[in-house]
Amino acid sequence: MNEAMGEVKRMLKYNIAFICKGDRILMLNRSKAPLLGLWNGVGGKLEPGETPYASVVREIREETGLRLAEEALRFSGIVTWEVDGREAGGMYVFIGEAPPEALAEAPVETEDGILAWKALEWVIHPDNHGVAGHIKHFLPPMLESRDCAEYRCTFQEGKLLNCEVRPLEEVVL
């Protein structure tokens, strides 16, 4: 791993998972900051010594009650962000598949927000301002391809300016 990729990995303190069931994606309308009131995948912060896979499995269980094995999740790339000209971190992104009976009672309110199965078209619709804005740029290619990439999001004063796709060298999880 080269020095630049090592630096990117040090910035990655978060993970996010987009869990699919048929043509639906499990989304969380967050009841806490950051992204309070916006729909997003499930995930959170890596704990010290925790691998990205172990972290995302734990976060999925804590936020949804689903017990997905690491094998049910596919690492799909990373999202990094620059905010107002400064490096601001990043996250590992995973795509998972839920069994057909998973969260059949959704929508359901949890401590973290409201969980609901949403159609991909709804999630990425250009007029949908209730979803975290950068998801529309990285989720469709991650769902369509097994190729991993870095999605570099640049924000200025709270607005997404662009999302650049960069080749991703090997990431050791």
Side-chain angles (χ1 to χ4, degrees):
M1 176 171 44
N2 68 29
E3 189 173 321
M5 184 49 65
E7 182 57 34
V8 167
K9 282 192 68 174
R10 281 188 286 283
M11 292 185 334
L12 300 178
K13 296 180 180 166
Y14 301 94
N15 65 62
I16 193 165
F18 293 92
I19 302 165
C20 303
K21 183 167 77 167
D23 63 349
R24 302 270 180 189
I25 299 170
L26 186 62
M27 299 294 287
L28 175 68
N29 188 283
R30 296 182 51 87
S31 62
K32 303 172 188 173
L35 303 178
L36 172 70
L38 293 178
W39 292 95
N40 205 347
V42 297
K45 193 168 186 175
L46 279 78
E47 294 181 354
E50 195 172 41
T51 67
Y53 268 112
S55 179
V56 77
V57 166
R58 176 185 52 76
E59 288 287 350
I60 291 168
R61 186 183 66 250
E62 289 175 0
E63 292 188 0
T64 72
L66 294 174
R67 297 185 179 277
L68 297 182
E70 287 184 20
E71 299 78 35
L73 296 162
R74 172 175 55 89
F75 172 65
S76 299
I78 62 174
V79 175
T80 58
W81 46 85
E82 176 184 312
V83 178
D84 299 328
R86 293 185 327 215
E87 297 293 325
M91 62 188 174
Y92 297 94
V93 183
F94 296 87
I95 305 294
E97 187 66 37
E101 69 279 0
L103 292 169
E105 70 280 4
V108 62
E109 191 163 348
T110 71
E111 181 180 318
D112 295 299
I114 300 168
L115 287 168
W117 295 103
K118 299 291 188 180
L120 176 62
E121 295 77 24
W122 181 87
V123 172
I124 64 171
H125 195 281
D127 293 333
N128 187 347
H129 300 288
V131 173
H134 56 315
I135 289 175
K136 299 167 189 175
H137 298 276
F138 69 81
L139 185 58
M142 286 184 174
L143 289 170
E144 292 172 12
S145 174
R146 292 203 168 274
D147 295 336
C148 294
E150 175 186 357
Y151 294 81
R152 177 71 174 171
C153 299
T154 304
F155 294 89
Q156 186 72 41
E157 297 178 7
K159 302 263 189 227
L160 178 65
L161 299 180
N162 67 17
C163 185
E164 176 187 354
V165 181
R166 299 176 175 179
L168 185 62
E169 294 183 26
E170 182 178 342
V171 174
V172 179
L173 299 174

